[in-house]
Amino acid sequence: MKNSSVNSTNCMKKTVLKLKRLLNLLIVAIFCLGVLVPPALAQAILPQPDPEFKGDIGVTYETSGEPDKSIMESPEAPDDAPNIILVLLDDVGFSSSETFGGSIETPTLERLADEGITYNRFHTTALCSPTRAALLTGRNHHSVGSGVVQELATGYPGYKGLIPKSTATIAEVLHENGYSTAWFGKNHNVPDNQTSMVGPFDRWPNGLGFDYFYGFIGGETDQWYPALYENQNPINAPAKTSDGEDYNLTHDLADKAIGWMNNQHSIAPDRPFFLYFAPGATHSPHQPPDSYRDKYKGVFDDGWDEERVKIYNRQMGINGETAKTPDIIPADTVLTPRPEGIPAWDDFDESAREALAKEMEIYAAFLDYTDVEVGRVLDAIPEKEVENTMIVYIVGDNGGSAGGGVNGTCNTMKNLNGLGYNIEEIKECAEDWGARDTGTSPGYSVAWAWATDAPFQWTKEIASHFGGTRNPMIIKWPKEIPLTPDKREIRDQFHHVIDIAPTILEVTGIQEPEIVNSIQQQPIEGVSLAYTFGFDKKLRNGEGAEGTHKTQYFEMFGNRGIYKDEGEHEWMASTVHSKPVGDEPLKPFDEDEWELYDLKTDFSQGNDLSKISDLSASPYLPKKLEELKDLFLVEGGKYNVFPLDDRFVERGDVSLRPSFTAGRYHFDFYEGAVRLPEGTAPDVKSKDHKVTAQVTIPERRAKGVILALGGETGGYSFYIKKKKLHYTYNYFGTPYDVVSEADVPSGDVELGFVFEYLGDYGDGAGSPATVNLFIDGNQVTNFTENIEHTVPARFSLETQDVGMDLLTPVTHNYKSPFKFKGTIKKVTIDIEPPPEEST
C-alpha cells in the first residue's frame, strides 16, 4: 500500500512536470510564431499576428457562414490615443529664441510657452544624427550605433552608423499599433554608403516605420536647391513655393506636412497620426528667404560679448531687461566666461565687425522664418484634432554650431574638409551671405554659437558641457495639460532625448515591444517624462515632482560627461578633450582634466568644485570626482561608448566603410544615371583618373553636361558649351576652367579628360593637379599645372549626375540642369589603382 502510494505520487509529479514542459513549449511557440496570441501579449510582438477567422466555411459561399470582415482590418490604436506631432530643429543654441532670452523672434514657440509646459533642463547628445537616432529609438546614441555622424562611421558597435534592428523606432511601434506615420525634413540616419538609388533601403524612413517621407537624407542640404526625396525616390524641387515666392525648402516641407495631415483627417479621421517634422534648419547653410534677410539689420552690431550679456539679463530679468519666460533660469545662475580661443568682439576692426554682424543677422532671419513655418504646420491641425494632439517642440538637436570656426564660413564644406576662411575672405562674401544663386553656403562664427548658448559653457560637439547638450523643449496637449493664463509653466527635472519615445508610449497606452520582426529588442533606456505634467493622475500638475532620470552619460569626439542624481546633490563630472577652437595638439585621453559640478546649486556649470583651493573644507570632493569618473567607465561599457575616438577629418575617408565601389577602379555609367550621392560614387579625389564618354553630337546646338559631381560648394563638371569641350574644377567656390582648343565635331565621338594628381596617391593633401582634354583620342589642351588646389576629403553633399548637373551647378558657366543635347551611350571612369596594387 505504501509503495503504491509512493508510485502514485511519483506518477503525479511526473505528470505535472510533463504538463509544465508542454505549457512552456506552448508559450514559446505562441511567443515565437505569433499565432493564437492572447490580447495581453499582442503588443509585445510586432507586427501583430493576423486575426483568426471566426466563422463557418463550406465548399461554396452559399453553404458558408457570414464572412468575417475583421480578418481584413489593420491594427487599431488604443481608444482615445492622441495624435503626436514631434518637431525637431537643428543647431539652435539654448538661448537663441526670445522665449529663452534671445533676440530672435519665435512667435510659434512663444505661443506654445503660453499654452503648454516649458522644459529648461532637457538634453541632447551634442551632435545631430546621434540625437536623432536616440530620439527615435529611446536608446542612447552609442547603443544604436550612432556615436557620431554617419559620414564618420567606423567598424565598432557604437559607431557603425546603422540603427540596429533590435532597436525599433517609435514610429515602427506606433505604425504597428494603428497609427499613420510620416517624416518631413532632415534624415541623417542612413549610412553614407546606403544613400544611393540601389539602397538597401531598410534604414531609410520607410524602413523605420514611416508610411511617408519627404525631405533629404544627409546632414545638410542647400535650401534653394535641396537634394529632395519622396519616400525612396529622388525628385526635383518646384521652382516656386505655394505662395508664388522663390522656392525655399522649409516652406515646402510645411506645405507637404499640412497636405499629409489634411489627407489623413479626410480619409481616416478616427485614426491617430504621428508626424515628425525636422526641417534641417537652422543647420548651415543659413539661407532664409529674401523677405527675411533685412529683418535683423543692426540688431547684433554690439557683438557677441554684449549679446551674451543681454541674453543673460533677459533670462534673469535684471538691469532693465524683462524675461519673456520668468524663472527660465534660477536666480543664482552664473554667466560663464568666454572660453580661451574664442576672440573678443573688440579684437576685430570695424569692417570685420560689420561682416560678422551680418552672419548673425542672417542666422536670426533663418530661425525666425523656420519657427513661423512650424507655426503653419501646427495651425493646420484639423479643428476636431487640436484637443487631443500632443505637440513636442524640441528647439535644436544640439547647441549652437561651432562649425564655422573663429571667423565663420562662406562655404561649410571647406570647413568640413579641415580648412577655413580668414577674415578678409569673410568680408568679401558677407553681402551675399546665404542669398540665392550666389554660391554662398554659410555658417556663422563659433562666437555667435557660444553667445546664444548663454549662460552655459561651449557649443555643439562639446558633450561635456550644457552649451552642447541643453536644448529648449515645450510640450502642449490641451486634453491633458490645462492652460495657465496667469503664468508660464516650467519644469526643471533633468531629462534627456531618450525619454521622448517612452513618453509617447505611455501617453498612447502602447506597451514597449519585446520582439519586432522576429528580432528580440534591446530594452528602451529612457524614462517617461509624462509625470511632469501629471499624466499618471497622481498629481494634476507635475511641477516639483522628483525627477526620474537619475544617471546619464555624455560623449562626443572624446568630450565626456557623467550626471548622477543623488537627491541632496546632482553631480556632473565633465572633461573637454577636443575643443572647436585653437590648434593645440590633443592630449591622450588619460591625461584629460576633469571638472566637478553640483547642479543642485549650479545651473550653468559655472562653479568647478575640483578647483576649490581649500579642499580641507570639502575633503569628499576629490573622492566624489573619482567615483564619477569610474561611473563613466561603467556606463560607457554598458552602452558601447568605447573605444573613444577623437579623429574628425581622418574618419571622413570613405574607404573606412563598406561601399559598392570599394576595390573597383573601372566604372561604366549610362545616360539617366543621376543623383548618385558622393559617398557612393567613385572616389576620384587625390588620385589619377581618366574619364571617357561615347556620345553622339547633333549637328546643331551641341551643349550640355556629360558628367558632373558636386555643386556650388565644390566638385567638377565635364561639359560642352559653344562647341568647345570644358572641364571645370570647383575648389570651394574658386573655379579652374579647362577649355578645348578645337571644336567638338558632330556625329559619334569619344570625348574624355585625364586628371593627373601631383601629390602622393590618395594623400588627401589637396595638392595641385593637371587636366587635359581629349577628342577621339587626340589631346586638345596642353597644360602642365592648371589646378592650384584640390579638394582633400569631400566636394559637397550633392550628387554625381550623367547627362546633366542637378541641384546647384558646379560652375556658373551654365544654369542647372544644363541637360546634354545629344545621346550619351556610356561614360567610363578609370581610376589609377594604388601603387601596391599596380605592381
Side-chain angles (χ1 to χ4, degrees):
M1 186 76 177
K2 184 177 180 180
N3 289 338
S4 174
S5 176
V6 170
N7 289 339
S8 176
T9 301
N10 289 338
C11 183
M12 288 181 64
K13 286 182 177 179
K14 290 179 180 178
T15 301
V16 169
L17 284 172
K18 286 181 180 179
L19 286 172
K20 283 184 176 179
R21 287 174 186 153
L22 287 171
L23 183 59
N24 287 335
L25 288 171
L26 180 60
I27 290 172
V28 169
I30 291 172
F31 194 66
C32 295
L33 297 176
V35 295
L36 304 176
V37 181
L41 197 57
Q43 288 185 5
I45 303 175
L46 298 178
Q48 296 182 27
D50 292 332
E52 182 184 2
F53 176 78
K54 298 173 183 178
D56 298 321
I57 300 178
V59 175
T60 68
Y61 75 90
E62 291 99 338
T63 60
S64 300
E66 288 294 316
D68 182 4
K69 290 190 293 184
S70 68
I71 67 170
M72 299 183 290
E73 294 176 350
S74 300
E76 292 187 1
D79 291 341
D80 208 28
N83 305 306
I84 308 290
I85 297 182
L86 177 58
V87 178
L88 180 67
L89 301 192
D90 201 329
D91 285 4
V92 186
F94 177 83
S95 53
S96 297
S97 69
E98 60 181 328
T99 311
F100 282 72
S103 299
I104 304 171
E105 293 181 17
T106 47
T108 304
L109 197 65
E110 277 289 281
R111 180 166 39 118
L112 291 179
D114 288 332
E115 299 171 348
I117 291 176
T118 299
Y119 293 79
N120 67 352
R121 296 181 71 208
F122 181 79
H123 300 84
T124 53
T125 70
L127 199 62
C128 45
S129 52
T131 289
R132 293 159 193 273
L135 173 67
L136 291 175
T137 63
R139 285 92 169 177
N140 285 298
H141 55 303
H142 293 89
S143 294
V144 290
S146 302
V148 74
V149 294
Q150 268 66 10
E151 291 85 354
L152 305 182
T154 56
Y156 295 103
Y159 302 90
K160 61 185 177 181
L162 290 163
I163 294 178
K165 296 181 184 294
S166 59
T167 59
T169 69
I170 187 63
E172 189 162 8
V173 177
L174 293 177
H175 174 269
E176 293 297 340
N177 281 279
Y179 269 73
S180 298
T181 57
W183 181 340
F184 299 90
K186 174 174 173 174
N187 172 296
H188 200 186
N189 297 114
V190 177
D192 196 33
N193 56 294
Q194 296 184 9
T195 56
S196 75
M197 66 285 294
V198 298
F201 297 106
D202 52 339
R203 262 79 173 200
W204 286 53
N206 298 129
L208 296 177
F210 289 90
D211 298 319
Y212 181 76
F213 171 69
Y214 185 88
F216 61 100
I217 295 298
E220 66 180 63
T221 194
D222 193 273
Q223 299 292 302
W224 306 110
Y225 304 98
L228 273 178
Y229 286 84
E230 186 170 34
N231 298 316
Q232 293 156 194
N233 304 311
I235 61 171
N236 293 326
K240 299 288 183 180
T241 62
S242 60
D243 53 7
E245 299 295 321
D246 284 341
Y247 179 90
N248 195 279
L249 175 60
T250 306
H251 188 92
D252 183 25
L253 295 174
D255 281 348
K256 288 295 189 295
I258 292 167
W260 181 85
M261 193 162 44
N262 287 339
N263 285 337
Q264 293 299 309
H265 185 68
S266 299
I267 299 168
D270 295 327
R271 189 182 193 195
F273 62 80
F274 172 55
L275 192 161
Y276 178 35
F277 189 75
T282 54
H283 195 292
S284 59
H286 301 158
Q287 297 168 322
D290 291 346
S291 56
Y292 282 81
R293 286 181 61 83
D294 294 330
K295 181 172 180 177
Y296 290 88
K297 191 170 184 61
V299 172
F300 302 101
D301 286 354
D302 291 337
W304 45 68
D305 291 303
E306 185 61 29
E307 177 65 18
R308 187 167 166 94
V309 172
K310 289 178 185 176
I311 290 171
Y312 176 73
N313 289 344
R314 291 191 202 108
Q315 291 170 331
M316 299 287 282
I318 61 175
N319 296 334
E321 298 285 356
T322 303
K324 286 274 188 165
T325 307
D327 304 318
I328 195 65
I329 65 176
D332 58 357
T333 300
V334 173
L335 180 62
T336 58
R338 176 167 23 86
E340 184 179 350
I342 295 180
W345 181 252
D346 290 339
D347 290 346
F348 296 89
D349 62 31
E350 185 176 348
S351 61
R353 291 197 294 265
E354 184 178 342
L356 292 166
K358 182 77 171 183
E359 295 179 3
M360 190 59 194
E361 291 172 12
I362 297 301
Y363 175 83
F366 198 25
L367 177 57
D368 187 336
Y369 156 66
T370 301
D371 181 79
V372 168
E373 293 300 321
V374 171
R376 287 183 58 228
V377 175
L378 301 186
D379 288 342
I381 299 171
E383 185 176 353
K384 290 183 179 180
E385 304 290 339
V386 170
E387 183 74 11
N388 199 25
T389 297
M390 186 172 82
I391 299 164
V392 182
Y393 190 168
I394 303 173
V395 189
D397 50 6
N398 42 245
S401 175
V406 168
N407 300 313
T409 177
C410 309
N411 184 329
T412 57
M413 287 308 302
K414 188 173 182 180
N415 288 59
L416 288 174
N417 277 265
L419 306 168
Y421 282 81
N422 62 46
I423 194 62
E424 295 303 317
E425 292 171 314
I426 295 297
K427 292 177 185 178
E428 291 178 11
C429 73
E431 190 56 38
D432 292 331
W433 201 261
R436 183 184 176 98
D437 295 328
T438 60
T440 59
S441 177
Y444 61 13
S445 165
V446 60
W448 288 120
W450 163 75
T452 56
D453 284 324
F456 305 117
Q457 299 184 53
W458 292 112
T459 61
K460 175 181 177 178
E461 297 181 17
I462 310 300
S464 54
H465 291 77
F466 295 147
T469 62
R470 187 165 289 181
N471 287 91
M473 181 176 73
I474 295 179
I475 296 179
K476 174 189 172 182
W477 185 10
K479 181 174 178 290
E480 292 290 338
I481 302 175
L483 281 173
T484 52
D486 56 330
K487 69 167 187 173
R488 289 186 172 179
E489 293 283 343
I490 295 178
R491 297 294 180 269
D492 62 359
Q493 294 93 345
F494 184 102
H495 277 288
H496 190 270
V497 68
I498 61 175
D499 298 337
I500 298 303
T503 301
I504 292 173
L505 290 180
E506 180 175 353
V507 303
T508 57
I510 296 171
Q511 73 182 77
E512 176 185 349
E514 297 178 20
I515 292 179
V516 177
N517 295 320
S518 303
I519 297 173
Q520 185 73 40
Q521 296 294 290
Q522 301 176 36
I524 284 179
E525 293 159 2
V527 297
S528 172
L529 54 76
Y531 72 93
T532 62
F533 46 84
F535 182 70
D536 60 6
K537 303 299 188 292
K538 293 176 184 176
L539 291 171
R540 179 66 251 177
N541 186 322
E543 184 178 11
E546 182 181 348
T548 58
H549 198 120
K550 299 295 187 181
T551 304
Q552 181 62 49
Y553 82 89
F554 297 87
E555 192 280 333
M556 192 63 61
F557 298 114
N559 300 312
R560 307 173 319 270
I562 183 74
Y563 165 82
K564 184 73 167 69
D565 180 0
E566 294 183 352
E568 184 179 353
H569 302 279
E570 288 185 73
W571 298 111
M572 181 82 178
S574 307
T575 182
V576 179
H577 174 80
S578 174
K579 299 177 182 178
V581 291
D583 53 6
E584 59 188 75
L586 296 176
K587 295 179 181 179
F589 289 107
D590 59 3
E591 293 181 14
D592 287 335
E593 296 179 12
W594 285 77
E595 302 159 5
L596 178 65
Y597 303 97
D598 184 357
L599 305 181
K600 203 79 169 181
T601 56
D602 184 9
F603 183 81
S604 63
Q605 294 176 295
N607 181 24
D608 178 8
L609 299 177
S610 73
K611 298 293 191 295
I612 292 177
S613 57
D614 182 13
L615 285 176
S616 61
S618 305
Y620 66 92
L621 290 178
K623 181 180 177 182
K624 178 56 63 178
L625 182 55
E626 291 304 314
E627 286 178 9
L628 291 168
K629 289 164 65 176
D630 289 342
L631 179 60
F632 178 85
L633 294 176
V634 172
E635 296 293 290
K638 186 190 303 183
Y639 298 118
N640 293 334
V641 175
F642 305 122
L644 299 174
D645 194 339
D646 52 16
R647 297 170 299 161
F648 187 85
V649 174
E650 301 92 327
R651 278 195 279 179
D653 184 351
V654 295
S655 67
L656 295 175
R657 291 165 289 283
S659 170
F660 293 119
T661 64
R664 295 173 57 196
Y665 305 101
H666 177 87
F667 304 87
D668 290 327
F669 294 97
Y670 301 90
E671 193 162 15
V674 296
R675 293 287 295 273
L676 180 63
E678 184 175 337
T680 52
D683 183 17
V684 299
K685 292 178 289 296
S686 305
K687 304 177 185 74
D688 292 351
H689 58 276
K690 177 176 69 172
V691 169
T692 54
Q694 308 296 329
V695 300
T696 302
I697 306 297
E699 291 286 346
R700 300 178 58 196
R701 302 185 63 185
K703 64 178 181 179
V705 171
I706 300 167
L707 175 69
L709 173 61
E712 285 183 330
T713 62
Y716 71 87
S717 182
F718 183 45
Y719 57 101
I720 298 173
K721 183 178 180 182
K722 294 182 178 178
K723 296 186 177 182
K724 301 292 186 183
L725 189 60
H726 291 248
Y727 174 94
T728 298
Y729 190 94
N730 179 356
Y731 176 76
F732 303 123
T734 299
Y736 295 95
D737 295 317
V738 180
V739 185
S740 67
E741 297 172 350
D743 289 350
V744 175
S746 60
D748 293 338
V749 185
E750 180 184 274
L751 305 175
F753 69 84
V754 173
F755 182 101
E756 183 182 358
Y757 182 64
L758 302 181
D760 293 332
Y761 184 96
D763 61 8
S767 297
T770 295
V771 172
N772 281 292
L773 302 176
F774 293 81
I775 298 177
D776 284 331
N778 300 311
Q779 185 169 320
V780 289
T781 53
N782 185 21
F783 291 103
T784 56
E785 186 175 322
N786 56 319
I787 300 178
E788 186 177 356
H789 303 285
T790 58
V791 171
R794 189 152 187 149
F795 289 120
S796 72
L797 293 175
E798 296 193 21
T799 57
Q800 176 184 289
D801 305 306
V802 174
M804 62 190 76
D805 182 2
L806 293 172
L807 309 179
T808 64
V810 170
T811 170
H812 289 287
N813 287 343
Y814 55 75
K815 290 186 176 181
S816 289
F818 200 46
K819 190 172 181 180
F820 184 72
K821 302 293 184 182
T823 302
I824 297 177
K825 300 173 184 176
K826 183 170 68 173
V827 175
T828 298
I829 302 175
D830 286 300
I831 302 173
E832 184 72 19
E836 59 271 21
E837 293 192 27
S838 298
T839 57

